[in-house]
Amino acid sequence: MARATRLSSEVAPGIFAIPVPIPYPFKYVNCYLLVPGPGVGEGPVLVDCALDTPEARSGLEAALQEHGLEFSDLQHLVVTHHHPDHYGLAGLIEAQGPTVWMLDVEKARGHIFWSEPEEMTRIGQALFQRHGVSEAYLSDLGREMAKTRSRVHPARNLQIFGDGQALTLAGMRFRAVWTPGHADGHAMLLRESDGVLLAGDQILERISPNIGLWAYSYPNPLQHYFDSLEKTAALGASLALPGHYRPIRDIAGRVAELKAHHRERLGFLLGLMDSTPQTCWQLSLGLFPGDLNLAQRRFAWSETLAHLEYLVAEGQVKRLELDGVVHYSRA
């Protein structure tokens, strides 16, 4: 009889990758189970937890069962950032006993997206309107966001750690590394004994993580991301375990590729511009052409805005307001 395919695999000593299905183009999010060694007095720890769909929940539960575990057996859940595919099940897992942890910056700046939905919806809609997004699109977006919010259960008693703080998880020592850009409070975890880096969405194998500007985020996220890429390369880590796709061994090489990618996109965006003012929405259609779905178009807009504001800060682009709508032109 053929052996059943295992749902988790050991990708570093004591660290098991669990690819959990999600309804996004990534198709899977990598959650990581930290398993304590023999004689270690601490319990197992989960890093990231997918979002609440039947497929994701059952997939994560089945992978834990391979280790004889249920959610209630976990000591901690550590969340790299607040995005739904990493944070969605947190509140449901917390209710079964584990303590949920997040970087202090992300609790203050990211967790509120889920804990204060009415205010976040209000300021988000206002930002879209200021940048020329149509009312028809906003109506569709509201329905899409309501669907996403139904899949996210924020933790009620969220605990925090700080940048550079030493954390002992499943008997292993990690150092927290704050890397804003993809999210204001995005955190990585570096196991200093062997250089294994739980990288979240800071660096991914095949694509660049979305670097978007939102109503509740820092005003120049792309500059933060460039700085965070430098910080990531300087760690000297031996292996990055990312939130999507496969592990990355040439971390410095991947960092260089990601920096080059965004420099190329900045140049392409400048090439779409002249002295004629255009909205971010108009420019996003040129920077990200094609038939994108609602969620993809939203991310394309936010990434275009992040690149525009970076260029404003660099003095290459001017921002001006016409009839209450923000426009951009070459400086």
Side-chain angles (χ1 to χ4, degrees), residues 5-328:
T5 302
R6 288 186 63 85
L7 301 173
S8 64
S9 59
E10 192 167 20
V11 288
I15 303 178
F16 292 80
I18 303 173
V20 180
I22 54 175
Y24 300 138
F26 289 129
K27 296 188 178 177
Y28 293 89
V29 61
N30 293 325
C31 303
Y32 293 95
L33 177 65
L34 313 183
V35 178
V40 174
E42 297 186 26
V45 173
L46 187 65
V47 178
D48 289 338
C49 62
L51 75 171
D52 187 17
T53 65
E55 297 80 9
R57 195 191 305 196
S58 62
L60 186 53
E61 288 174 335
L64 291 176
Q65 286 168 6
E66 292 181 343
H67 301 267
L69 300 173
E70 298 179 352
F71 289 141
S72 59
D73 297 310
L74 300 172
Q75 184 177 9
H76 303 296
L77 166 63
V78 181
V79 180
T80 59
H81 60 298
H82 76 284
H83 293 165
D85 50 331
H86 297 259
Y87 187 45
L89 283 165
L92 298 182
I93 293 174
E94 179 190 51
Q96 298 188 46
T99 304
V100 182
W101 295 81
M102 180 181 277
L103 190 78
D104 50 5
V105 177
E106 192 70 336
K107 181 180 180 181
R109 302 188 62 85
H111 168 75
I112 59 169
F113 184 78
W114 309 112
S115 62
E116 301 177 18
E118 294 84 4
E119 176 63 9
M120 292 298 106
T121 297
R122 185 190 67 78
I123 65 173
Q125 297 283 80
L127 185 67
F128 279 120
Q129 289 170 329
R130 286 197 71 226
H131 287 277
V133 180
S134 71
E135 289 297 330
Y137 178 84
L138 288 174
S139 175
D140 291 341
L141 182 62
R143 287 190 290 271
E144 180 76 15
M145 288 309 301
K147 181 179 178 181
T148 299
R149 288 189 181 280
S150 72
R151 294 169 166 174
V152 176
H153 309 280
R156 293 180 177 275
N157 189 31
L158 191 58
Q159 303 299 300
I160 58 173
F161 55 88
D163 181 30
Q165 184 173 333
L167 305 172
T168 302
L169 304 171
M172 310 170 204
R173 182 181 170 89
F174 290 84
R175 175 161 59 91
V177 183
W178 176 36
T179 48
H182 179 61
D184 288 357
H186 187 282
M188 305 191 298
L189 299 171
L190 176 66
R191 188 164 68 179
E192 294 182 296
S193 63
D194 59 2
V196 172
L197 181 67
L198 292 164
D201 284 356
Q202 169 65 5
I203 56 171
L204 302 175
E205 176 197 31
R206 292 162 50 186
I207 66 167
S208 169
N210 174 255
I211 309 301
L213 198 163
W214 308 100
Y216 62 101
S217 66
Y218 290 134
N220 192 353
L222 184 55
Q223 181 62 64
H224 281 293
Y225 187 59
F226 280 139
D227 294 343
S228 292
L229 286 173
E230 296 288 347
K231 189 175 183 178
T232 301
L235 293 173
S238 60
L239 177 69
L241 302 177
H244 306 275
Y245 306 124
R246 297 179 300 181
I248 299 169
R249 292 198 175 275
D250 183 9
I251 295 170
R254 186 58 185 145
V255 163
E257 290 172 351
L258 288 165
K259 288 192 293 185
H261 165 77
H262 284 286
R263 293 293 180 193
E264 185 274 333
R265 298 300 279 167
L266 288 165
F268 188 86
L269 179 58
L270 274 172
L272 297 174
M273 304 176 70
D274 53 27
S275 60
T276 304
Q278 299 178 73
T279 68
C280 176
W281 180 255
Q282 291 169 323
L283 288 163
S284 74
L285 299 175
L287 189 61
F288 294 92
D291 186 21
L292 303 185
N293 66 29
L294 191 66
Q296 291 169 331
R297 184 52 64 192
R298 172 174 168 262
F299 284 116
W301 170 86
S302 72
E303 183 136 341
T304 303
L305 184 57
H307 284 68
L308 284 168
E309 287 298 321
Y310 177 88
L311 291 170
V312 170
E314 293 292 300
Q316 298 183 69
V317 163
K318 294 186 296 185
R319 185 198 313 114
L320 63 156
E321 193 164 311
L322 301 172
D323 298 324
V325 176
V326 176
H327 291 68
Y328 297 88

